[in-house]
Amino acid sequence: MIRFKEFTYRYPNQVNPALDSINLGIPDGQFLGVVGPNGAGKSTLCYALAGFVPHFFHGSLAGGVYIGKLDVQQSTLGELAGEVGLVFQNPFNQISGARFTVREEIAFGLENLGLVRKEIERRIEEALEIIGLEEVANRSPFALSGGQQQRVAIASILAMQPRLLVLDEPTSQLDPQSTQEVFRILEKLARRGGTTVVLVEHKLEWLASFVDRVIVLSEGRVVLDGKPIKILADEELKKIGVGQTQYSLAATAVKKKNLVPKSKSLPVTLKQAQSFFK
Amino acid sequence: MRGNSLFVPGDSGLHRLHPLTKLILSLFFLVLAATLPSLPWLLTAFVLLLPLAIWGGLLRPLLKSSLAVIIPFVISLSIIQGFFTPGETQLFKLGDFVFTLEGWLAGLKVASQLLLAISGALLMMLSTRPDQLMLALTNAGLPGSLAYIVLTAIQIFPRFQERAQVILEAQQARGLEINVNIFKRIRLLVPLLGPLVLSSIVDVEERAMALEARAFSRAGKKTSLLVLKDSGWQRTTRWCLVLLMIALIGFRVWQVFV
C-alpha cells in the first residue's frame, strides 16, 4: 500500500503549494491514472513518490508519503531507486550517456544496484523482450528514434523491478500502436506482477480502457477519484481543464441535439460508445 | 560506436589486452619519449612500437593520426631550431640567417619525442573501448562519478553539435544570414548560444534526476556487465613496465644532477 498522509508541498520561492493536503491510498498492484491540467501538480506527485520531493527540490513540506513501511522522507534517493522506478517525459535526458549500447544502457541501473552479472543479463533479456527492443539491443541508444529512446527509458527502469512504477507522460513520443503496447505492458505488470503503477497521461481514451482507477488533480488537490468509466464521463472534467475523450465529445454533441435522453451517461471507451450510439 | 571516441572495433590480441596493460604501455612510451637521449634512440623506439600496431591491425589509423599531428610540428620545429640554434655545420643561408645541421637535428628530436608519445597514446585509444578503460580505472580506485563524466563527454558532445546545428538551421529558416564576413559572424553566436546554453541548463536538472532514478548515488558496491579479462603475464608485464619507467626516470634525473 502506498499512502499520502496530509501531504502538502511548496517549491522554494513559491507562494502556492504544488500539492495541497493530499490524502491518497494506492493498494499494491493497482494501475492508477493521473490526469489534470498543466500546473495541477501531476509531476510533483510523481517526484514525491520517488523522493525527488524533498530530496532533490527541497522547499517546505508537511505530512508524509509512505511506500509500504518505507517513509520517503527518511530514505535516501539511492535507497528509493530500487523501490520506486520513475520514467520521465523526455527520453533523451534519461539516457545515461555512460553506456554505448541499448543492452548496456539497461544494465546501467542494475550495475548501480549491485546485482550479480548473471542476474543483470537475465533481466536485460527480459526487459528487451517485454518492451520489444531486441532488434536494436546492440545499437547506440543515441542512434534511435524518439519513440525507441522512450522505450529504452521504460525498459531501463522496468529492469530494476521496482515495487512502484511511476511514469510521467511516457508515451509523449509514441505512435498510437506503441502507446497501446506500453499500456498493455503496464496493465500486465500490475495485474500479474503485482507492481503498483502510477501513470500520468493525457491520452484519456487509453486511460479509460486500461487503468483501474483515475484521480484528477487541480491546483494541487485531488478533486475527483474513482473508476475511470465514472470519472472520465464526469462533466466536471471540462471545467477543470482536462478535456474529454473523443467518445464523450461526440456523445455530448448528440445530446445537445436531443437525439438521446439527457439522463444517459457519457461513454468513455469504444465499447460504451458503440452501445451509446445504437 | 558513435561519439568522439577514437576506438576502432576489432578482435585482435591488442584489443583483448586488459585496459590497464595498454594504459601503462602508453605511459611507458611517454616516459621513453621524455628520457631517451637522442634522435636514433627515439626513432628506434618508434619502430619498435609499430609491430604492436600491426598486431592490433591498427597500423593505418595509427600512422594517419600521428603523422597528421606530427608533420606540422616537424616543419615548424625544423625551421625554428634550424635557424636559431647555433652550430658549426651550415647547411644553407637565407640572407643573414644560417640554417645549421645541429639545429635541424634538435628540432627533429623534439618532433620525434612528440611522435613517440602520441603514437603510444594512440595505440591505447585506438584499441580500447572507453567504457572498458573507465571500468578498469574504477576498479583500480578511480571515483565512479569521474568515470561517468569522461564517458558522457565522449557521447554528449556530438549531440551538442547536432543541437547547435538544428538551432542554427532554425534561425536560418527565420531569415538569419550566416554567410557574412567574420566580424558579423561573431555576432551570430548570440542567437545560437542563447538557446543552446538555456536548453542545456534545463536539461541538467532532468538528467540529474534521471541518473538518481537509476540508483546512481546508491551506497554500496556496484557491479558491472562488462567483463575485463586479466592474466598473470599481463600483471607481470605491467609491473615490469612500471619498474622500467622508474629506472628510466631515475637514470635521467641522475644524469642531470651528477
Side-chain angles (χ1 to χ4, degrees):
Chain A
M1 187 82 169
I2 289 134
R3 271 180 209 285
F4 283 79
K5 279 189 188 156
E6 276 300 317
F7 188 78
T8 300
Y9 172 74
R10 196 177 278 117
Y11 282 102
N13 309 318
Q14 295 285 317
V15 180
N16 296 322
L19 291 177
D20 194 355
S21 329
I22 302 275
N23 279 302
L24 187 67
I26 311 167
D28 291 335
Q30 188 169 65
F31 188 177
L32 174 72
V34 180
V35 297
N38 289 332
K42 303 188 296 290
S43 291
T44 310
L45 188 86
C46 295
Y47 297 156
L49 283 168
F52 291 110
V53 162
H55 300 301
F56 191 87
F57 285 107
H58 310 291
S60 63
L61 104 186
V65 181
Y66 305 88
I67 293 158
K69 282 176 188 156
L70 201 69
D71 183 344
V72 171
Q73 283 172 67
Q74 302 300 324
S75 317
T76 65
L77 284 174
E79 287 164 359
L80 285 165
E83 303 288 327
V84 188
L86 180 53
V87 177
F88 300 82
Q89 191 180 348
N90 183 343
F92 175 76
N93 285 338
Q94 293 178 73
I95 293 171
S96 73
R99 295 294 180 269
F100 291 87
T101 67
V102 169
R103 182 172 267 122
E104 290 159 11
E105 176 65 27
I106 296 174
F108 182 70
L110 308 177
E111 293 170 336
N112 289 335
L113 289 178
L115 300 176
V116 294
R117 186 173 303 120
K118 264 217 165 118
E119 177 67 8
I120 293 179
E121 281 168 355
R122 196 185 66 73
R123 288 203 192 177
I124 291 172
E125 295 315 317
E126 195 181 71
L128 285 172
E129 198 203 315
I130 293 175
I131 305 291
L133 283 167
E134 289 118 319
E135 281 168 28
V136 295
N138 292 318
R139 286 177 53 192
S140 162
F142 287 107
L144 304 179
S145 69
Q148 284 171 319
Q149 287 185 343
Q150 213 151 29
R151 285 156 178 252
V152 173
I154 297 172
S156 300
I157 293 296
L158 209 62
M160 295 171 79
Q161 297 185 351
R163 271 200 286 168
L164 167 64
L165 187 59
V166 184
L167 306 100
D168 193 354
E169 294 183 44
T171 65
S172 58
Q173 299 210 12
L174 296 180
D175 55 49
Q177 202 191 335
S178 308
T179 303
Q180 189 180 18
E181 272 170 43
V182 167
F183 268 90
R184 284 224 174 99
I185 293 161
L186 296 178
E187 188 190 32
K188 208 161 82 184
L189 281 173
R191 294 281 139 72
R192 288 196 216 146
T195 310
T196 313
V197 180
V198 174
L199 172 69
V200 174
E201 183 60 75
H202 283 304
K203 298 170 183 168
L204 301 181
E205 289 80 5
W206 296 110
L207 283 179
S209 32
F210 281 98
V211 302
D212 301 320
R213 174 182 171 194
V214 170
I215 61 169
V216 182
L217 285 179
S218 177
E219 291 170 355
R221 288 168 175 273
V222 179
V223 288
L224 292 170
D225 180 352
K227 289 240 172 263
I229 305 169
K230 188 172 146 264
I231 300 299
L232 295 174
D234 201 312
E235 312 255 359
E236 280 287 305
L237 278 188
K238 225 160 95 186
K239 280 184 215 153
I240 295 165
V242 174
Q244 288 175 301
T245 64
Q246 297 296 317
Y247 311 119
S248 305
L249 288 174
T252 312
V254 174
K255 265 191 181 177
K256 265 189 191 151
K257 298 211 162 165
N258 290 322
L259 295 173
V260 289
K262 278 251 188 292
S263 59
K264 220 170 169 183
S265 68
L266 292 175
V268 294
T269 63
L270 183 60
K271 249 191 189 154
Q272 285 184 320
Q274 280 168 341
S275 68
F276 182 90
F277 289 111
K278 253 179 192 164
Chain B
M1 188 116 346
R2 281 152 57 101
N4 276 352
S5 152
L6 287 167
F7 176 66
V8 180
D11 194 33
S12 71
L14 184 67
H15 281 89
R16 285 198 300 268
L17 283 185
H18 192 271
L20 279 187
T21 310
K22 288 182 271 190
L23 179 67
I24 289 186
L25 198 64
S26 70
L27 285 176
F28 176 67
F29 282 110
L30 179 73
V31 170
L32 279 183
T35 54
L36 287 179
S38 64
L39 187 58
W41 279 100
L42 287 163
L43 291 180
T44 312
F46 177 69
V47 170
L48 288 177
L49 178 148
L50 294 179
L52 286 170
I54 295 169
W55 184 33
L58 297 167
L59 190 62
R60 265 178 67 104
L62 181 106
L63 289 179
K64 221 172 111 184
S65 305
S66 55
L67 291 181
V69 175
I70 213 67
I71 284 173
F73 279 102
V74 171
I75 296 168
S76 57
L77 285 167
S78 297
I79 294 171
I80 291 167
Q81 299 275 2
F83 280 115
F84 295 103
T85 310
E88 293 179 353
T89 331
Q90 292 190 9
L91 288 180
F92 58 88
K93 260 182 154 179
L94 263 183
D96 286 338
F97 294 105
V98 181
F99 191 89
T100 66
L101 178 65
E102 288 79 4
W104 186 42
L105 289 177
L108 286 183
K109 188 195 161 192
V110 177
S112 62
Q113 283 178 316
L114 271 174
L115 176 69
L116 190 59
I118 288 168
S119 305
L122 276 172
L123 199 63
M124 175 194 68
M125 291 198 279
L126 289 168
S127 66
T128 314
R129 276 177 52 162
D131 50 345
Q132 291 189 338
L133 177 64
M134 285 304 143
L135 176 61
L137 289 173
T138 320
N139 290 345
L142 182 85
S145 46
L146 207 62
Y148 172 80
I149 290 169
V150 173
L151 289 175
T152 40
I154 290 171
Q155 293 207 83
I156 304 266
F157 275 124
R159 306 288 94 73
F160 242 64
Q161 288 164 350
E162 280 168 21
R163 189 185 285 180
Q165 192 59 40
V166 169
I167 292 170
L168 204 62
E169 279 167 12
Q171 309 277 29
Q172 265 181 283
R174 281 176 272 166
L176 187 79
E177 193 63 56
I178 65 159
N179 295 319
V180 289
N181 69 45
I182 191 85
F183 296 106
K184 282 187 181 162
R185 224 172 255 207
I186 291 169
R187 261 193 293 170
L188 280 176
L189 284 175
V190 179
L192 174 66
L193 284 181
L196 189 64
V197 170
L198 277 180
S199 66
S200 304
I201 290 173
V202 173
D203 275 3
V204 165
E205 189 173 75
E206 215 173 84
R207 286 201 150 268
M209 281 199 281
L211 269 186
E212 290 293 352
R214 305 280 287 285
F216 189 65
S217 70
R218 192 182 177 95
K221 204 175 151 39
K222 297 182 180 191
T223 49
S224 170
L225 177 66
L226 283 177
V227 192
L228 297 177
K229 286 202 184 86
D230 207 352
S231 57
W233 73 264
Q234 286 196 60
R235 268 188 289 271
T236 315
T237 311
R238 290 203 291 269
W239 279 113
C240 290
L241 285 172
V242 169
L243 290 176
L244 257 173
M245 282 192 271
I246 294 170
L248 278 167
I249 294 168
F251 182 66
R252 187 81 184 131
V253 171
W254 180 75
Q255 265 190 329
V256 170
F257 286 103
V258 179

